[in-house]
């Protein structure tokens, strides 16, 4: 039995690939492919790293549900005591539908609409993470029209380089996110003066798939400098929200282990005399990334026809199911669900059926495969299903939750009818 990189719940037993007590090849055959499979125990184990480090202090872990917003996933985190980080009304409705607590939910995002603000105020969200001065004014007006005050924190842009992919780096001056560090005190004064607002805290989020602690410590220092300056201006701040962004192992990355990472940040908070404040985190990928795989069946093998050609392994999952390789050139590990001894290993480009050359899941992968085999794309629990689309009129995949050998279907495969259920033909004539 060998454990694979990423998740301790994923292991080779003989030729088979097992995830949280279930044999993946058997699940693929029973439920069909493409199929997302998540491990409940892997999610809870990832969460426990945050919980252990934060035990004994005022805190709130707001799962950033953009990573994976399936109701059963939200339900798992809600039952474990988590709040949520949301960026749309749709995400808020999901929290409510899954039994989550809006009172533990923070609302982030640069483009909140007045209608979204209204709904979030009615639901009673814990805090709005506000990203611009104009947004403060609009939120104040909406809150006044409802006769309430809106709890706010300002998302400040600490201008630190998170050292990650440019598309998922958010804490630099050139990014659209947050309020510039040097303007923050002035904007806090404005917030405190607006009648519909109640200043609660401060927050920052510097990027995603960050594998070092140093950018966080730099951002934290800058945020704490601001906390001191804002309080010196007579505006108390109750919580510090450090966002999400902790990376995971896809291949050979070595991100810090969660518990040690959080402990390091808490130590710095204590050293600087801010230990009494509520600490919040908004983790997404680090809670679910390595708790999910995407299963696909090999449809056809199209070996190279000569010089400069490539070997294509065509599978039934595509960029519409998992866009990270196409969009970020993300490297995600691909493992056969059943190892073969009867077929030579060759380098394959694992590609999907979508009509785009960019439709690939992995390139140059050494695999021994035959048509009909099942493959697993690992570390697909975060930003997989939530970024899936219906491109090429492909129905989205089914999803399963496994838990100590038991599998539950948590989302049915989309069929053709559901694809165009909301569309209308033009009237006759
Ligand atoms: N909080 C805020 C305000 C965020 O914008 C994000 C992610 C998170 C928390 C959660 O970050 P995490 O812990 O998951 O790194 N689609 C990209 C990732 C985009 C991340 C966007 N913001 C990918 O597939 O790599």
């Amino acid at each position: 039995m060998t454990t694979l990189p990423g998740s301790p719940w994923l292991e080779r037993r003989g030729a088979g690939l097992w995830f949280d007590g279930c044999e993946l090849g058997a699940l693929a055959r029973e439920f069909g492919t493409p199929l997302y499979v998540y491990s409940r125990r892997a999610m809870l184990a990832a969460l426990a790293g945050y919980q252990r480090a934060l035990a004994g202090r005022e805190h709130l872990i707001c799962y950033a549900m953009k990573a994976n917003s399936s109701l059963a996933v939200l339900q798992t985190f809600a039952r474990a005591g988590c709040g949520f980080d949301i960026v749309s009304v749709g995400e808020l409705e999901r929290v409510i539908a899954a039994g989550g607590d809006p009172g533990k939910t923070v609302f982030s995002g640069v483009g909140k609409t007045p209608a979204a603000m209204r709904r979030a105020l009615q639901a009673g969200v814990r805090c709005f993470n506000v990203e611009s001065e104009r947004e403060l004014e609009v939120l104040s007006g909406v809150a006044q029209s409802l006769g309430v005050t809106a709890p706010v924190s300002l998302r400040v842009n600490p201008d630190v380089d998170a050292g990650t992919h440019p598309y998922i780096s958010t804490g630099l001056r050139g990014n659209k996110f947050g309020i510039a560090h040097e303007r923050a005190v002035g904007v806090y004064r404005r917030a405190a003066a607006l009648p519909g607002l109640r200043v609660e805290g401060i927050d920052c989020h510097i990027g995603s798939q960050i594998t070092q602690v140093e950018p966080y410590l730099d951002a934290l220092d800058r945020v704490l400098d601001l906390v001191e300056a804002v309080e010196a201006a007579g505006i108390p701040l109750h919580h510090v929200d450090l966002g999400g962004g902790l990376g995971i192992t896809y291949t050979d990355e070595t991100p810090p282990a969660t518990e040690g990472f959080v402990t390091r940040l808490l130590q710095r908070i204590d050293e600087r005399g801010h230990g009494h404040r509520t600490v919040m985190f908004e983790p997404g990928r680090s809670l679910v990334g390595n708790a999910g795989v995407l299963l696909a069946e090999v449809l056809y093998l199209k070996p190279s026809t000569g010089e400069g050609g490539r070997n294509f392994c065509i599978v039934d999952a595509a960029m519409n199911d998992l866009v990270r390789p196409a969009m970020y050139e993300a490297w995600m590990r691909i493992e056969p669900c059943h190892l073969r001894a009867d077929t030579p290993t060759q380098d394959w480009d694992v590609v999907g059926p979508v009509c785009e050359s960019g439709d690939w899941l992995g390139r140059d992968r050494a695999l021994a495969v035959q048509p009909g085999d099942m493959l697993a794309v690992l570390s697909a629990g975060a930003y997989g299903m939530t970024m899936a689309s219906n491109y090429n009129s492909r129905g989205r995949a089914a999803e399963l939750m496994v838990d100590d050998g038991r599998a539950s279907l948590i989302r049915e495969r989309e069929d053709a009818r559901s694809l165009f259920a909301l569309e209308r033909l033009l009237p006759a004539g």
Side-chain angles (χ1 to χ4, degrees), residues 7 30 40 150 189 209-210 236 399:
S7 177
E30 183 179 349
R40 187 168 162 277
R189 283 210 173 88
Q209 185 52 18
I210 302 171
E399 293 179 301

Side-chain angles (χ1 to χ4, degrees), residues 50 62-68 85-87 106-109 129 131 155 164-165 167-170 177 203-210 216 241-247 250 281-288 322-325 327-328 330 332 382-384 386-387:
Y50 285 93
C62 293
Y63 166 54
M65 59 184 282
K66 60 172 78 70
N68 186 327
D85 170 53
I86 61 166
V87 291
V106 297
F107 194 171
S108 302
N129 291 342
E131 304 230 11
R155 175 170 177 182
T164 185
H165 190 288
Y167 283 13
I168 52 176
S169 170
T170 51
F177 298 101
D203 86 285
C204 78
H205 170 79
I206 57 173
S208 198
Q209 185 52 18
I210 302 171
Y216 279 99
D241 176 347
L242 296 173
L246 179 60
Y250 286 97
F281 283 94
E282 301 167 0
R285 188 190 319 263
S286 55
L287 294 186
V288 291
L322 180 64
V323 77
R324 302 191 69 256
M327 192 158 168
Y328 313 113
M332 302 178 72
Y383 305 108
T386 46
M387 295 179 79

Side-chain angles (χ1 to χ4, degrees), residues 346-425:
Q346 271 183 278
D347 281 348
W348 296 100
D349 283 1
V350 180
V351 302
V354 160
C355 302
E356 302 256 357
S357 296
D359 178 27
W360 54 277
L361 298 175
R363 286 181 175 147
D364 285 323
R365 301 306 174 88
L367 294 166
V369 277
Q370 291 292 343
D373 287 359
M374 301 295 181
L375 298 181
V377 184
L378 308 191
S379 313
Y383 305 108
M385 189 60 168
T386 46
M387 295 179 79
S389 77
N390 293 123
Y391 188 38
N392 280 202
S393 285
R394 289 168 53 85
R396 283 178 300 165
E399 293 179 301
L400 292 184
M401 183 78 84
V402 293
D403 185 7
D404 198 8
R406 286 187 318 271
S408 316
L409 184 69
I410 61 164
R411 185 198 299 250
E412 287 180 36
R413 187 174 305 288
E414 264 175 3
D415 61 8
R417 217 164 15 99
S418 63
L419 275 182
F420 43 79
L422 301 178
E423 297 181 38
R424 299 286 176 271
L425 292 170

